[in-house]
Amino acid sequence: MEYKRKALPDVIKIICTVCILFHHYQQLTGTFFYRGLNFYGGRFYFGYLVELFFIMSGWVMVSYIEKIKDKMSFPAFFSKRAIRLLPSMIVSTILYDIFLYIFTNSCHGTIRYPQKIDIFGSIITSLGMGSWCITKDYEINTINWYVSVLLLCYIIFYILVYVSKKTKIPAPILLSIPIIAGVIRTYGMEYSFLPFFSPRIARGYIHFFGGLLLGIIFVSLFGNKKKKEKEENKSVSVIKKIIGNLSEATLDVYLLQLPILLCFFIFSYYTGFKLVSGKTMLLYTAVTFLIGCLYHFLIGKRIYALLLGIVQKKGKAKNRAQ
């Protein structure tokens, strides 16, 4: 059986995830290479690769414009995304709190990101609202901001498409508004504070909705017809499947990176294991991918399937009642 998933987006996601792991590792351990490529403190700021994740997430939303206009409800649209993202957010936040407590209290360590365990902040982060800045930034496990802002972009996307349906205003016009707002926030309101409108959120608005508009333009120019797939030999199909599986797990790899890095800090404290090393950075990346993949395929997918079954069952019951 051929593996139909496209390989290029998967390869891009894997490479970007690796680069971001390198970026945060160098940032938090102080690792710097006087010869060679630096992923933190070098000529290029690799943290901007998160923007590429937003672009790709926006791009794949193009097909949902017509689905929403064709009476797709908000619960039907949002629930699948919430039950995919939030369980991993909960797990990563709990693990971060546990290992942060051990590191700061038993190892007397310090870390650049939030060092105090905040129960309210942990709950808000787990619910995906940590970076919404409703009152202030409550993010625990700071890298989770990507998922938090992504969830907000999904909500705004649905609202704008729904408004487009009701008002007959073309969807691309309304979907351009968050991009404009994000640019204004980034370059014209640097020191102001507004709920749902932090610099991080502006980054998400610009690139998520920018990717969405690029997808709309692409579909309008080239259509959305599926090309006939060329026959592939089994070895190519197996390689594509492996790449696809790794790509599928990259979200969990991304979210678990800081808890795992804290484990490395704790292990180094008790053993004297050298952290400031390119070899250790590679080891950390390999371990993070391994643990992220194990979590995704052994736990994460099962949680998603269980919750999805519950949501679909309730949806069918509601339809029968109507």
Side-chain angles (χ1 to χ4, degrees):
M1 187 176 179
E2 282 186 25
Y3 188 71
K4 299 295 185 180
R5 185 163 170 154
K6 298 294 183 182
L8 182 58
D10 289 336
V11 171
I12 292 172
K13 284 177 69 177
I14 293 168
I15 292 174
C16 288
T17 303
V18 169
C19 290
I20 289 170
L21 291 181
F22 287 169
H23 170 77
H24 287 135
Y25 187 89
Q26 287 197 252
Q27 180 187 27
L28 296 177
T29 63
T31 301
F32 187 83
F33 307 119
Y34 291 96
R35 293 182 181 179
L37 179 64
N38 281 289
F39 293 85
Y40 181 78
R43 294 183 178 180
F44 177 75
Y45 183 72
F46 280 86
Y48 287 138
L49 289 179
V50 175
E51 268 80 342
L52 188 54
F53 288 149
F54 278 114
I55 291 172
M56 295 174 72
S57 297
W59 183 287
V60 299
M61 286 294 104
V62 175
S63 62
Y64 284 91
I65 295 175
E66 292 304 319
K67 291 179 182 179
I68 293 169
K69 288 184 176 182
D70 193 30
K71 298 183 179 180
M72 186 181 203
S73 68
F74 178 75
F77 169 77
F78 192 71
S79 60
K80 287 186 179 181
R81 285 150 189 83
I83 64 178
R84 168 64 186 99
L85 298 173
L86 294 185
S88 296
M89 290 279 279
I90 293 169
V91 170
S92 68
T93 301
I94 291 172
L95 291 177
Y96 181 82
D97 281 346
I98 291 171
F99 295 126
L100 178 64
Y101 180 84
I102 296 171
F103 180 59
T104 55
N105 289 274
S106 298
C107 306
H108 310 291
T110 58
I111 188 169
R112 179 172 178 172
Y113 294 139
Q115 298 185 51
K116 293 181 180 179
I117 296 174
D118 184 317
I119 300 301
F120 179 74
S122 296
I123 293 172
I124 292 298
T125 299
S126 298
L127 293 175
M129 299 186 291
S131 287
W132 291 8
C133 295
I134 300 171
T135 54
K136 69 172 186 175
D137 193 339
Y138 280 108
E139 196 75 78
I140 304 297
N141 188 358
T142 311
I143 59 164
N144 286 10
W145 77 270
Y146 160 66
V147 176
S148 180
V149 175
L150 182 61
L151 286 168
L152 183 58
C153 287
Y154 285 142
I155 294 170
I156 292 173
F157 164 72
Y158 185 92
I159 292 171
L160 292 176
V161 175
Y162 185 80
V163 170
S164 170
K165 173 186 173 182
K166 292 296 183 181
T167 62
K168 307 302 180 183
I169 299 173
I173 293 176
L174 293 177
L175 294 171
S176 300
I177 294 173
I179 301 175
I180 298 168
V183 171
I184 292 172
R185 176 66 180 85
T186 301
Y187 298 103
M189 304 169 60
E190 186 176 356
Y191 301 106
S192 62
F193 172 84
L194 289 171
F196 309 107
F197 211 41
S198 70
R200 286 177 178 172
I201 292 174
R203 287 171 65 182
Y205 287 167
I206 293 169
H207 297 93
F208 177 89
F209 289 97
L212 177 58
L213 290 183
L214 286 174
I216 292 172
I217 293 169
F218 182 87
V219 170
S220 66
L221 290 177
F222 302 104
N224 203 21
K225 295 180 181 179
K226 292 184 178 179
K227 294 181 180 179
K228 289 184 178 180
E229 299 287 339
K230 294 181 180 179
E231 289 188 6
E232 297 175 345
N233 58 49
K234 289 183 178 179
S235 60
V236 173
S237 225
V238 168
I239 292 171
K240 286 180 70 176
K241 190 169 185 178
I242 292 171
I243 291 172
N245 286 336
L246 283 174
S247 173
E248 188 181 323
T250 51
L251 175 69
D252 294 307
V253 171
Y254 176 88
L255 291 176
L256 291 172
Q257 62 178 294
L258 284 192
I260 294 171
L261 185 55
L262 284 170
C263 289
F264 269 67
F265 284 153
I266 294 166
F267 181 74
S268 175
Y269 176 82
Y270 285 109
T271 65
F273 184 70
K274 185 179 180 182
L275 290 177
V276 183
S277 162
K279 291 181 180 178
T280 307
M281 184 172 76
L282 292 174
L283 174 64
Y284 158 75
T285 303
V287 169
T288 304
F289 259 90
L290 176 62
I291 294 175
C293 288
L294 288 174
Y295 167 78
H296 176 71
F297 290 107
L298 297 180
I299 300 174
K301 288 191 76 170
R302 296 183 182 186
I303 293 174
Y304 175 76
L306 176 64
L307 294 176
L308 183 61
I310 294 171
V311 170
Q312 290 178 339
K313 189 175 180 180
K314 287 184 176 180
K316 289 178 182 177
K318 186 178 179 181
N319 289 335
R320 285 197 297 268
Q322 292 175 347

